[in-house]
Amino acid sequence: MKLVLLFPGQGAQYVGMGAELRAACPDAARVFEQASEALGIDLVALCERGPAESLTRTLYAQPAVVATSLAALAAFRATVAQCGLSITPVAVAGHSVGELTAIAASGACDVPTILRLVAERARAMERACAEHDSGMAAVLGLEEAAVRDACAAASAQTGEPVEVANYNAPDQLVIAGTARALSQASEEVQRRGARRVVPLKVAGAFHTSLMRGAAAAFAPHVRMAPLQPPQVPVVLNTSGQEVTSAEALRVELEAQIASPVRWAQSMARCAELGAEVFVELGPGQVLSGLARRVVRGAQTLNVQDTASLAATLDALERLGARWPARGEQHAL
């Protein structure tokens, strides 16, 4: 059985996330300890008690989501080992800041390193958000070319940028830009037949040209980070293609803040790699839903609490995860 591990991005956070896994699994609890040490904040309190306003803030949301996802991965790995199952991912992928979780999951760096990188990324992006009145909106039910045309028209009319930021699925794209251009683009896509436009609760226009300053501020931290070649291929946000070199990961981390997330292309590439099962690790199930919309017949599972962890292990056994042969090592 071939599977891909998926890791969510900002927007998936909710008060209480990770609490059950932390209480049930020492490995998951250790991730939260490492996160609090690396970030200099009580991340357990923030994730478990909020308030929601703080947990939604970019500065805290990004490290909180990554830490919770890494804790879910730690609990998953520990349970797989206890069950004696042999599970080998063909790739890992993460949406936006979730890509940093995927890089850690690939073995390219340790947990404290990736958490420090996430903290610097969040700081840079929050500063960039303060420079512009900007935002993001999901566009549902309109093809890619029409959405791009609407953005181009809105930019021409306002003289301000609005761009496609996320290619999540063939009929679900996210646009982002200055508040004025985004409002105009939202009207344009509706005129072109969009089924719905949903403003997103984020502080700025992530994955657009308005984030170039954040990308430049983050770049020195990426260059200094001790990254190793990943042990599992990482499917990238910017290209939708897998890489296995540390240098390619550095290039990606510098570029992706100000580049569109090509998630639909990433999921299609995972299918080409032979993926049969997608396991989403971390808060929410948004990526599971997107995988099913892009990959026909995709089996999706998720781990965000103890019940979903148990259900995922049961499902993997039914789907053909096997006991390792004598002398064989666990892949996870």
Side-chain angles (χ1 to χ4, degrees):
M1 179 184 59
K2 295 182 178 180
L3 76 157
V4 171
L5 305 183
L6 305 179
F7 301 95
Q10 186 174 345
Q13 70 275 354
Y14 58 85
V15 175
M17 64 182 186
E20 287 189 6
L21 294 176
R22 186 182 68 84
C25 177
D27 290 348
R30 177 57 184 153
V31 169
F32 277 105
E33 291 173 7
Q34 291 175 307
S36 294
E37 292 168 5
L39 302 170
I41 62 173
D42 187 349
L43 198 64
V44 170
L46 178 62
C47 289
E48 294 190 8
R49 298 192 292 275
E53 293 76 12
S54 295
L55 194 56
T56 303
R57 183 179 167 187
T58 298
L59 185 65
Y60 302 127
Q62 293 191 10
V65 168
V66 169
T68 302
S69 298
L70 287 170
L73 175 64
F76 181 59
R77 282 174 164 164
T79 308
V80 165
Q82 290 167 5
C83 292
L85 294 173
S86 179
I87 298 173
T88 303
V90 295
V92 296
H95 193 287
S96 190
V97 74
E99 185 165 69
L100 280 80
T101 320
I103 288 171
S106 77
C109 67
D110 59 19
V111 169
T113 294
I114 209 67
L115 287 166
R116 286 191 290 270
L117 279 175
V118 172
E120 294 298 341
R121 182 184 189 273
R123 289 189 191 102
M125 292 178 73
E126 181 154 290
R127 286 195 296 269
C129 290
E131 296 173 2
H132 306 278
D133 182 11
S134 58
M136 306 180 79
V139 179
L140 309 179
L142 190 62
E143 63 182 16
E144 180 181 313
V147 176
R148 288 202 306 267
D149 288 346
C151 287
S155 291
Q157 291 167 23
T158 62
E160 298 176 9
V162 59
E163 305 159 15
V164 178
N166 300 162
Y167 296 85
N168 285 337
D171 62 346
Q172 182 182 319
L173 283 74
V174 173
I175 58 176
T178 64
R180 192 160 72 102
L182 181 62
S183 176
Q184 183 64 38
S186 297
E187 294 178 7
E188 291 287 340
V189 294
Q190 288 177 315
R191 278 196 287 268
R192 285 164 168 78
R195 185 173 71 252
R196 192 177 174 200
V197 179
V198 183
L200 302 183
K201 294 181 180 180
V202 294
F206 302 154
H207 300 291
T208 70
S209 58
L210 292 175
M211 287 288 121
R212 286 175 182 162
F218 184 48
H221 300 284
V222 173
R223 292 168 195 158
M224 292 186 294
L227 298 182
Q228 304 297 321
Q231 299 168 20
V232 177
V234 181
V235 180
L236 303 182
N237 282 189
T238 60
S239 67
Q241 298 297 309
E242 73 277 12
V243 299
T244 56
S245 77
E247 184 54 34
L249 295 179
R250 291 185 197 279
V251 172
E252 173 73 2
L253 287 173
E254 291 185 26
Q256 61 119 261
I257 292 176
S259 302
V261 174
R262 301 187 181 279
W263 191 252
Q265 187 174 336
S266 297
M267 294 301 93
R269 180 56 185 156
C270 289
E272 291 172 354
L273 293 172
E276 302 164 291
V277 181
F278 295 83
V279 181
E280 183 174 3
L281 296 143
Q285 300 180 54
V286 170
L287 301 185
S288 298
L290 292 177
R292 290 193 298 271
R293 293 172 70 176
V294 175
V295 182
R296 181 174 296 180
Q299 296 278 343
T300 59
L301 305 167
N302 76 96
V303 176
Q304 60 178 320
D305 51 28
T306 53
S308 58
L309 174 60
T312 290
L313 267 293
D314 286 345
L316 288 174
E317 288 192 86
R318 291 196 306 272
L319 290 168
R322 62 185 179 83
W323 298 91
R326 182 172 295 180
E328 200 175 50
Q329 293 189 352
H330 298 292
L332 283 173

